[in-house]
Amino acid sequence: MENNSNNDKKSRRDFIHITSGVTVATGAAAVAWPLIDQMNPSADVLALASVEVDLEPLQPGQSISVLWRGKPLFIRRRTEEEISEARDIDLNTLKDPELDEDRAKNSNYLVMVGVCTHLGCVPLGQQGEYGGWFCPCHGSHYDTSGRIRKGPAPTNLEIPPYVFLNETTIKIG
Amino acid sequence: MSNIKNGKGVIGWIDYRLPIFSTLQHTLVDYPTPKNLNYWWNFGSLAGIFLLIQIITGIVLAMHYTPSVEGAFASIEHIMRDVNYGWLIRYIHMNGASFFFIVVYIHIFRGLYYGSYKSPREVLWWLGLTILLLMMATAFMGYVLPWGQMSFWGATVITNLFSAVPIVGTAVVEWLWGGFAVDNALLNRFFALHYLFPFLIVGVVILHIVALHTHGSNNPLGIDRKGPQDSIPFHPYYTIKDLFGLSFVLTIFAAVVFYAPDYLGHPDNYIPADPLKTPAHIVPEWYFLPFYAILRAVPDKLGGVIAMISAILILFALPWLDTSKVRSATFRPIYKKFFWFLLIDVIILTWVGGSPAEGHFILIGRLATIYYFAHFIIFMPIIGIIETPKPLPNSISEAVLKKPIKDGT
């Protein structure tokens, strides 16, 4: 009997310890989350997450850079040679195989995040061995579709989400 | 835990080389504490917790704040509207300052009631007052940072206090401003110092705790411990008591933060600072009001400043102004009444400090100011001499055990 009641006491105390421990842990997590989340992008930063660009003034062979989410975007109106160069290619020779048709919704315009996928530098336009982009930091060569061809970068230049609002206006983000 | 002392295990290995674990064991677990502490002894640890809350939320706010005349106000609104949970963190910081003062003021009045400033705890008392002065400077500078109307004019009024100093006054004020008015230079240095001072407070708090642990806590009876039967270990008895009290205080704190976050502030501080227009009714934050009332009670610029500073400095002399050998007001029938009179007087000063300086408020403020100083300079020394204290119990444990046991356990 006595043994039994001792066990009861023990389990009741354990119950109190466990429930209070769980309560404290939940409370601590609830307090910690705002302190962590405050470092995530704030509402005003998120509000700037889309930009509209007018492509009208671009002539074939011209590029512009715009700032989107603090990063440069390359928008290039490609020449016929560049387009054919990008399309007439054996996918098996690519490090990160991707069709140019999948990268450029409108073959005339190439829209990419101008950040080298190696370590974040901004590649230089119309340079390098493939006539596309060349990153001066560690020597990555991209072709006229922004695909990695040579050098340490692991993947092609990123294509941001964008839509054509009309023939010559795009909305990025 | 037993591994700490015999040097076994990882903890023991480290502790043998750097005794952090045995120090923590000594100060937070084994530390012998009087067995009769009441809930008024919770407020020291509460103050420490609010200091921690202020530092954590303050560091977070500094990640989003812009210390410039052009950007400060906008960055506060940015925190309130755009930063994830920014409103919550700022409201905790704003009200945390008020709660820090509430618990520290209760902590100080606890010390006044139970004579905690008396030998051998004079240095402990001084360190506490030093923390109070640092807190006041920190709170004042923090209030300037949002660069609202109250920030700007509060900064103007308080820094102008130094112009009361004879001869070098103007030079000192221009040095503080880094210019000829409250402007960008002052905002930048206040931000730097507002970030620095809490860490100075942490340093003094550590000294405060070292001094406390040298002779141990005072207790409601105000008599020294005679032996081990008068003490219990800090853990679990007072850790759990402190946590229990903390849960109550944090509940009230949360209620204010979520339901009345601007109750203790001034709406004027949501108007951007305008150097061309002073608000009609300018008052400091509530925790400065008694001192503000004393400042205004003296009809002389320099005199007012001296009176206000003396109101705190006089507390440093308290261990000698109080001539009674008995610590606790429980055994001091006359002092006990005067303690409550002082508390009422300080409440009156708070009320007067928050009211416009006109009409009968001027007279009430002056009488309350005179009473405040009379309490310390006249009443305390005299009461200690003329008062006959009640007989003190022989020991803490005797007094504790003598109490009638209410239930059958």
Side-chain angles (χ1 to χ4, degrees):
Chain A
M1 276 299 275
E2 201 178 348
N3 202 4
N4 215 349
S5 70
N6 270 345
N7 281 342
D8 277 356
K9 275 181 188 167
K10 201 180 169 195
S11 66
R12 285 173 65 180
R13 173 147 296 193
D14 286 346
F15 176 75
I16 291 170
H17 280 161
I18 291 165
T19 47
S20 50
V22 169
T23 309
V24 167
T26 312
V31 169
W33 177 243
L35 296 173
I36 295 164
D37 191 36
Q38 53 88 16
M39 284 171 74
N40 277 322
S42 58
D44 58 327
V45 172
L46 294 175
L48 295 176
S50 71
V51 287
E52 286 182 21
V53 181
D54 181 14
L55 304 177
E56 185 87 63
L58 272 182
Q59 297 301 314
Q62 286 190 327
S63 303
I64 52 166
S65 295
V66 291
L67 208 60
W68 174 67
R69 289 179 165 183
K71 292 177 187 171
L73 282 184
F74 294 156
I75 303 174
R76 179 165 178 82
R77 182 161 178 188
R78 297 187 291 185
T79 60
E80 291 300 326
E81 300 86 73
E82 285 174 338
I83 297 170
S84 55
E85 205 174 299
R87 304 215 157 176
D88 304 337
I89 195 168
D90 180 9
L91 276 186
N92 293 325
T93 63
L94 297 177
K95 191 175 180 182
D96 181 13
E98 208 177 355
L99 283 172
D100 184 63
E101 285 82 348
D102 295 334
R103 291 178 59 79
K105 288 179 185 175
N106 175 335
S107 65
N108 287 326
Y109 298 102
L110 183 63
V111 181
M112 303 186 298
V113 176
V115 175
C116 180
T117 56
H118 181 224
L119 290 170
C121 296
V122 177
L124 304 168
Q126 287 64 61
Q127 290 192 26
E129 295 173 16
Y130 297 86
W133 284 263
F134 170 71
C135 181
C137 288
H138 305 95
S140 292
H141 298 258
Y142 298 90
D143 66 12
T144 55
S145 186
R147 290 173 297 203
I148 180 65
R149 302 295 287 271
K150 186 183 173 190
T155 56
N156 302 332
L157 289 177
E158 189 195 336
I159 305 293
Y162 67 94
V163 288
F164 275 86
L165 298 177
N166 56 45
E167 280 294 296
T168 55
T169 310
I170 56 168
K171 183 184 172 203
I172 300 143
Chain B
M1 278 299 177
S2 62
N3 277 347
I4 293 177
K5 285 180 185 81
N6 61 26
K8 283 179 185 160
V10 177
I11 289 173
W13 187 89
I14 293 170
D15 198 71
Y16 184 66
R17 287 150 182 86
L18 178 73
I20 39 171
F21 297 105
S22 53
T23 306
L24 285 177
Q25 170 93 15
H26 180 69
T27 53
L28 283 172
V29 180
D30 298 336
Y31 175 58
T33 314
K35 59 178 10 176
N36 60 336
L37 299 188
N38 57 32
Y39 275 109
W40 297 113
W41 263 262
N42 277 38
F43 288 86
S45 75
L46 286 173
I49 286 161
F50 275 105
L51 174 61
L52 207 62
I53 291 173
Q54 290 305 90
I55 288 176
I56 292 169
T57 53
I59 289 170
V60 166
L61 290 171
M63 293 180 189
H64 303 283
Y65 172 74
T66 309
S68 82
V69 169
E70 291 81 22
F73 191 86
S75 73
I76 297 293
E77 289 309 306
H78 163 69
I79 289 168
M80 294 300 286
R81 295 160 193 234
D82 295 334
V83 174
N84 301 318
Y85 295 100
W87 58 273
L88 176 63
I89 293 159
R90 176 166 177 258
Y91 279 150
I92 290 175
H93 198 71
M94 283 167 65
N95 290 290
S98 280
F99 271 70
F100 195 5
F101 274 98
I102 290 171
V103 297
V104 161
Y105 282 153
I106 293 173
H107 189 61
I108 292 170
F109 272 100
R110 193 287 318 274
L112 287 174
Y113 188 88
Y114 292 110
S116 298
Y117 47 84
K118 291 186 194 183
S119 176
R121 297 186 182 84
E122 299 94 328
V123 174
L124 174 62
W125 175 253
W126 288 346
L127 290 166
L129 292 172
T130 307
I131 294 170
L132 176 65
L133 290 171
L134 286 170
M135 275 174 68
M136 289 176 145
T138 311
F140 162 64
M141 291 189 290
Y143 195 61
V144 174
L145 301 184
W147 212 242
Q149 274 288 68
M150 279 296 175
S151 299
F152 184 89
W153 294 102
T156 301
V157 170
I158 301 298
T159 50
N160 263 312
L161 291 177
F162 292 91
S163 70
V165 179
I167 303 164
V168 295
T170 310
V172 168
V173 173
E174 285 174 1
W175 174 75
L176 282 173
W177 287 340
F180 303 100
V182 171
D183 210 335
N184 202 53
L186 175 124
L187 180 60
N188 272 290
R189 63 190 60 175
F190 270 25
F191 178 59
L193 295 174
H194 182 70
Y195 206 114
L196 167 70
F197 273 36
F199 298 99
L200 298 183
I201 294 176
V202 168
V204 184
V205 164
I206 290 169
L207 295 179
H208 193 65
I209 292 170
V210 170
L212 171 70
H213 285 208
T214 304
H215 289 283
S217 297
N218 185 28
N219 64 80
L221 295 172
I223 55 175
D224 289 328
R225 282 171 282 172
K226 301 272 188 327
Q229 73 280 4
D230 290 341
S231 297
I232 45 176
F234 190 77
H235 179 77
Y237 297 103
Y238 287 113
T239 45
I240 210 72
K241 187 163 181 163
D242 281 353
L243 285 173
F244 184 68
L246 175 69
S247 68
F248 270 85
V249 173
L250 286 185
T251 304
I252 300 167
F253 182 55
V256 173
V257 165
F258 285 105
Y259 295 103
D262 286 314
Y263 178 75
L264 295 165
H266 297 289
D268 277 22
N269 220 28
Y270 286 98
I271 302 168
D274 180 357
L276 300 176
K277 188 173 175 295
T278 307
H281 182 49
I282 180 158
V283 284
E285 290 282 83
W286 70 267
Y287 37 80
F288 291 136
L289 290 178
F291 306 102
Y292 193 57
I294 291 172
L295 170 75
R296 295 196 303 193
V298 182
D300 174 76
K301 188 172 175 178
L302 181 60
V305 175
I306 290 173
M308 184 179 71
I309 295 166
S310 307
I312 296 174
L313 294 186
I314 199 164
L315 297 173
F316 281 88
L318 204 56
W320 297 276
L321 289 171
D322 188 345
T323 50
S324 174
K325 293 278 170 262
V326 176
R327 291 197 189 104
S328 175
T330 310
F331 305 104
R332 301 185 57 193
I334 304 177
Y335 174 73
K336 193 186 203 168
K337 291 195 182 72
F338 277 82
F339 168 85
W340 293 110
F341 293 156
L342 177 73
L343 183 63
I344 293 165
D345 186 61
V346 171
I347 291 168
I348 291 171
L349 283 170
T350 306
W351 170 59
V352 171
S355 306
E358 58 195 29
H360 56 276
F361 284 119
I362 294 174
L363 181 66
I364 296 170
R366 283 179 187 166
L367 291 175
T369 299
I370 291 168
Y371 186 87
Y372 180 88
F373 286 104
H375 175 91
F376 294 109
I377 298 172
I378 301 170
F379 301 145
M380 283 194 88
I382 293 176
I383 293 167
I385 294 163
I386 62 166
E387 182 181 55
T388 311
K390 290 185 199 163
L392 294 171
N394 288 322
S395 77
I396 292 172
S397 94
E398 186 193 283
V400 169
L401 294 175
K402 213 164 62 182
K403 278 185 185 163
I405 296 163
K406 280 168 193 157
D407 54 15
T409 54

